[in-house]
Amino acid sequence: MSSRHLARSIALQSLYEWDFAEKKKEIGGIIGKNIEEFNDDVKDKDFVYDLAQGVVSNAKELDKIISEAAPEWPLEKITTIDRNVLRMGLYELIYGNKEEVPPKVAINESIELAKQFGGSSSGRFVNGVLGTVYKEIEKEIG
């Protein structure tokens, strides 16, 4: 498993716990505990913190985008894993450093996380939502 993929997996697990606890737990403490479990395997701890904390800081905006891109799926009906994979993917698409993580890499990583941790249709669902948002971003850029 690549270093960044592992970092995203830990960020996802941390966001899952944060979301499952109805956003009442401090994300920094959750991340620290999860990083400690993998200890020496995590090479880019800052990336884990930046990604998960970035998602939490922008969760309302990210949730609004998800709701607009998947109107037939109310946010509370989307599984906790899929919801947080989408938040992470959107965060990287919208706020991430495009030179460090190109949009297509962010989308592909999200699809892989959805397949790994989600249900049988999670990969297709995540691909559809992120693909829709990416097309809109490209239209706006011109």
Side-chain angles (χ1 to χ4, degrees):
M1 181 182 302
S2 78
S3 178
R4 280 285 171 102
H5 186 76
L6 176 60
R8 285 184 182 91
S9 296
I10 294 168
L12 176 61
Q13 291 171 35
S14 300
L15 289 166
Y16 180 92
E17 185 176 339
W18 168 79
D19 198 9
F20 191 78
E22 298 177 352
K23 303 171 185 157
K24 293 177 184 163
K25 288 185 175 182
E26 173 58 42
I27 191 66
I30 297 170
I31 297 165
K33 174 185 63 88
N34 288 333
I35 284 177
E36 205 172 283
E37 279 186 41
F38 290 93
N39 203 8
D40 295 333
D41 294 336
V42 184
K43 305 292 182 235
D44 198 350
K45 294 174 184 166
D46 289 340
F47 180 74
V48 179
Y49 279 99
D50 291 346
L51 181 56
Q53 290 175 326
V55 167
V56 168
S57 296
N58 294 283
K60 285 183 182 178
E61 180 64 25
L62 297 171
D63 288 351
K64 181 180 175 210
I65 294 167
I66 294 167
S67 296
E68 290 171 1
E72 63 283 352
W73 283 95
L75 201 61
E76 63 277 357
K77 298 287 184 192
I78 298 172
T79 67
T80 306
I81 285 291
D82 291 355
R83 186 171 50 242
N84 285 292
V85 168
L86 287 169
R87 286 173 177 155
M88 283 176 37
L90 287 171
Y91 178 79
E92 287 195 276
L93 277 176
I94 296 167
Y95 303 104
N97 179 340
K98 309 296 185 274
E99 291 175 16
E100 196 175 302
V101 181
K104 291 186 181 188
V105 171
I107 292 170
N108 286 335
E109 278 291 316
S110 297
I111 293 167
E112 289 306 312
L113 287 169
K115 288 178 181 178
Q116 183 179 359
F117 293 102
S120 60
S121 61
S122 293
R124 288 189 309 276
F125 178 65
V126 166
N127 185 32
V129 175
L130 294 181
T132 297
V133 173
Y134 179 64
K135 287 176 190 168
E136 286 301 313
I137 291 171
E138 288 217 308
K139 276 187 207 174
E140 290 176 14
I141 293 172

